[in-house]
Amino acid sequence: MKKTEFYAGLFIVFGLFCFSYVALSLGGLRIFGDNRYILYAGFVSTSGLKPGATVEIAGVQVGNATDITLKNNKAVLTLRLRPDIKIPVDSSAAIRTRGLIGEKFVKITPGADDAMLAAGQEIEQTDSVVDLEELIGKFMFDKKDEDKSGKSAKKK
């Protein structure tokens, strides 16, 4: 067997390994173990938030929202956070959008309490996503009601 054929084969195998690792990691699968811990957060609405969305504190990614379930008519997010991140008990979680119509993410605002949330606990203070379509619909509906009642939108 020639030396160049051996190195070419080795290069291809290494490349396939790297490609597979990156593809699985981006998909959320951890090959070499995942020591992240789980917190939960209940929201009235998670409209547009998808599993895998980032969780950030002060603009820094600290985890992912891995699952969205319905419990007692509330959307409950499963948040997987890095083990070095400690969240105070009085912290709040909010769903925010990057830009006007960008992707949605979970923003955690740490509180000032000395007690920290343990794995499996729930962030009690939450703020649901502002649905832009709903706001536009309300604006349009209210505008039509004003026009039908004979009132002008412009004041003289």
Side-chain angles (χ1 to χ4, degrees), residues 52-117:
T54 61
V55 176
E56 297 181 0
I57 296 176
V60 179
Q61 184 175 348
V62 296
N64 294 87
T66 58
D67 194 24
I68 304 171
T69 58
L70 188 64
K71 183 177 181 183
N72 297 329
N73 293 326
K74 286 180 79 174
V76 178
L77 293 181
T78 302
L79 310 175
R80 294 181 69 81
L81 304 175
R82 294 188 337 224
D84 60 315
I85 302 300
K86 304 299 179 205
I87 308 293
V89 173
D90 61 341
S91 299
S92 65
I95 298 174
R96 296 290 179 248
T97 305
R98 292 188 203 289
L100 188 58
I101 55 172
E103 68 175 324
K104 300 213 178 347
F105 67 98
V106 180
K107 176 184 177 184
I108 295 178
T109 304
D113 201 319
D114 291 334
M116 300 296 165
L117 289 169

Side-chain angles (χ1 to χ4, degrees), residues 9-51:
L10 192 62
F11 179 75
I12 290 172
V13 169
F14 179 72
L16 287 173
F17 174 77
C18 290
F19 175 77
S20 299
Y21 178 75
V22 169
L24 292 173
S25 294
L26 289 175
L29 181 65
R30 304 285 179 229
I31 298 172
F32 299 111
D34 188 8
N35 56 352
R36 295 177 182 226
Y37 70 101
I38 293 176
L39 291 179
Y40 298 97
F43 292 89
V44 173
S45 172
T46 60
S47 178
L49 187 81
K50 301 203 179 346

